[in-house]
Amino acid sequence: MDDVSKLSAKFETDIKSVRTYKEAEALAMTYLGRNGHINSLLKTMKDLPTEKRKALGSSVNEIKKSIVEHIEKKRKELMKKMEEETDIDVTLPGKAYPAGSLHMVTLAIEEISRIFEKLGFVRMSYPEVEWEYYSFEALNMPKNHPARDDFESFFIDTPSHDDFGKMVLSPHTSSGQVREMLRVGAPPIRMINIAKCYRPNWDVTHTPMFHQFEGLCVDKGITIANLKGTIDYFVKEFFGRQRSIRLRPFHFQFTEPSFEIDVSCGICLGKGTIRNEKCKVCKSGWLELAGAGMVHPNVLKAGGIDPDEFSGWAFGFGIERPMMMKEGLKLNDMRIMYSGDIRFLEQF
Ligand code: DAH
């Protein structure tokens, strides 16, 4: 038997033992691949006399054609079998995986940033792990001052720094005020500092981690009128055109004069009553919103700014509470916001 007939006989047995598509692929490589049997046969041709070479050439081509056809046929058979066995309907729609969404606080932060950006405020964030100095002393609250009790804090267990004191988890965003003055160097300053704050409280209206945003504006001739106008603009953008604000005298160590800011209730629209009954949401027509005031001269000095030349205002808002007011949400336990409960979170 010549080499071509031997190869042909071998192929006939080989193809009979092919059971899977993968095996058919492997067989194709063994016979038709670059180093396959067909090419090895063709390589022997060059040493043959012309007549024999021609004859071998044409018989190798014939068997090659037949091998290609047989393997192609086998492949088709096996492909069909595979489809029948797996029973896949390729026209069915795919699986829809649940899509995530941004946390409600993240959405509120984005909206607040956008509103203040329009007024030319620069968005900043300052350290969450902060020196006692920036959290208190720089804000006109010297060591042992009773006002510090209002800002109960988590202290970090590290050695105390000679100038900056201990490290704390920042209890309010006001700690960014003097840092911003020092960063900018000289007025004008228009900053919005949005950050996480920490205080050791854990009940239905408090979580130990919460968010605040702090506004700071320092320049020549800045007055309470600017403060009121800015907050009024924010409230109308964030809560709606029909809402208004009022300032109530208050006391903060870092501002003089100081105020608390109330926003008119979205339910009774500031009247305090609905159809001659007390409004159940606000009871008085107003909801407490934020603290604010004219920056105390000592705070300006701590930031290297001359209080005789410049003046400024500052305010500090929580984020979780105003956000609930905006959504008309009455949560009976605020901690659910940070519980990771998808059933609650996916509603926003
Ligand atoms: N830091 C205060 C707090 O956490 C809020 C505050 C009050 C911020 C008055 C201010 C301000 O900037 O002027 O309760």
Side-chain angles (χ1 to χ4, degrees):
M1 224 200 297
D2 63 20
D3 287 348
V4 178
S5 312
K6 272 190 211 155
L7 191 65
S8 176
K10 183 171 156 45
F11 180 73
E12 265 174 45
T13 13
D14 281 356
I15 193 135
K16 273 186 202 138
S17 65
V18 167
R19 295 277 167 273
T20 65
Y21 193 85
K22 229 174 161 180
E23 283 170 11
E25 297 283 276
L27 193 70
M29 279 305 284
T30 316
Y31 281 83
L32 308 167
R34 194 142 63 94
N35 299 318
H37 297 316
I38 295 288
N39 274 349
S40 320
L41 257 187
L42 291 173
K43 272 180 206 150
T44 63
M45 275 169 45
K46 64 178 192 313
D47 305 324
L48 296 175
T50 321
E51 278 308 302
K52 284 201 168 168
R53 197 183 326 149
K54 270 193 181 167
L56 181 66
S58 72
S59 55
V60 169
N61 271 339
E62 236 164 75
I63 170 183
K64 185 178 173 184
K65 215 172 126 207
S66 147
I67 289 176
V68 170
E69 279 166 10
H70 276 87
I71 289 185
E72 205 40 48
K73 196 167 148 228
K74 196 75 180 177
R75 273 189 180 135
K76 281 194 182 134
E77 267 171 44
L78 291 168
M79 178 67 88
K80 199 156 166 249
K81 193 164 147 237
M82 233 165 30
E83 278 174 10
E84 282 164 8
E85 277 170 5
T86 46
D87 197 24
I88 294 173
D89 181 350
V90 293
T91 61
L92 280 178
K95 272 188 194 159
Y97 287 96
S101 59
L102 293 177
H103 192 273
M104 57 205 299
V105 170
T106 308
L107 293 172
I109 289 176
E110 283 180 359
E111 187 177 0
I112 293 163
S113 311
R114 264 201 315 277
I115 295 172
F116 282 99
E117 262 164 25
K118 276 195 260 174
L119 295 178
F121 280 70
V122 178
R123 163 91 195 268
M124 296 299 301
S125 352
Y126 281 108
E128 279 174 44
V129 183
E130 181 57 285
W131 294 110
E132 238 183 325
Y133 173 79
Y134 289 107
S135 304
F136 302 116
E137 273 93 332
L139 293 171
N140 197 33
M141 286 185 275
K143 278 204 169 64
N144 306 320
H145 195 284
R148 283 200 184 192
D149 295 347
D150 297 338
F151 302 95
E152 271 184 277
S153 308
F154 288 108
F155 282 89
I156 310 274
D157 196 5
T158 49
S160 188
H161 187 285
D162 288 346
D163 299 325
F164 297 121
K166 290 189 197 152
M167 296 205 92
V168 292
L169 296 186
S170 175
H172 54 178
T173 45
S174 302
S175 49
Q177 284 190 22
V178 166
R179 279 191 179 272
E180 178 70 359
M181 292 177 202
L182 296 174
R183 182 187 76 84
V184 176
I189 294 172
R190 279 177 188 74
M191 169 198 77
I192 195 86
N193 172 26
I194 310 185
K196 290 188 172 75
C197 302
Y198 301 85
R199 290 184 206 171
N201 297 317
W202 176 251
D203 59 40
V204 292
T205 53
H206 294 92
T207 49
M209 184 282 298
F210 56 100
H211 295 77
Q212 283 190 343
F213 66 103
E214 186 92 6
L216 176 69
C217 175
V218 185
D219 207 341
K220 279 195 175 130
I222 292 292
T223 66
I224 297 173
N226 301 134
L227 168 66
K228 201 173 173 203
T230 306
I231 295 181
D232 190 58
Y233 174 79
F234 167 72
V235 161
K236 288 189 161 52
E237 290 285 306
F238 190 74
F239 293 104
R241 297 267 123 207
Q242 74 284 14
R243 310 288 282 271
S244 52
I245 57 159
R246 71 175 184 190
L247 305 188
R248 246 184 315 109
F250 203 74
H251 174 76
F252 292 105
Q253 201 62 25
F254 31 94
T255 40
E256 181 57 38
S258 304
F259 311 98
E260 274 200 329
I261 299 169
D262 297 336
V263 58
S264 59
C265 171
I267 304 297
C268 65
L269 297 178
K271 290 199 280 295
T273 54
I274 303 177
R275 284 182 239 99
N276 293 329
E277 281 200 33
K278 223 177 205 171
C279 174
K280 288 198 177 72
V281 173
C282 63
K283 300 193 178 77
S284 65
W286 298 91
L287 297 159
E288 207 180 296
L289 194 62
M294 297 306 288
V295 180
H296 194 286
N298 288 348
V299 178
L300 290 173
K301 278 187 212 157
I305 292 171
D306 180 357
D308 292 328
E309 195 180 349
F310 297 103
S311 57
W313 51 250
F315 63 73
F317 283 63
I319 292 191
E320 285 81 353
R321 254 166 50 90
M323 193 185 65
M324 280 159 57
M325 288 181 200
K326 176 184 163 86
E327 303 286 342
L329 263 185
K330 281 210 97 178
L331 297 183
N332 49 18
D333 191 338
M334 219 185 86
R335 293 171 291 194
I336 193 171
M337 275 193 206
Y338 297 114
S339 67
D341 188 332
I342 298 284
R343 291 166 303 174
F344 172 73
L345 295 174
E346 69 187 1
Q347 296 172 47
F348 299 92

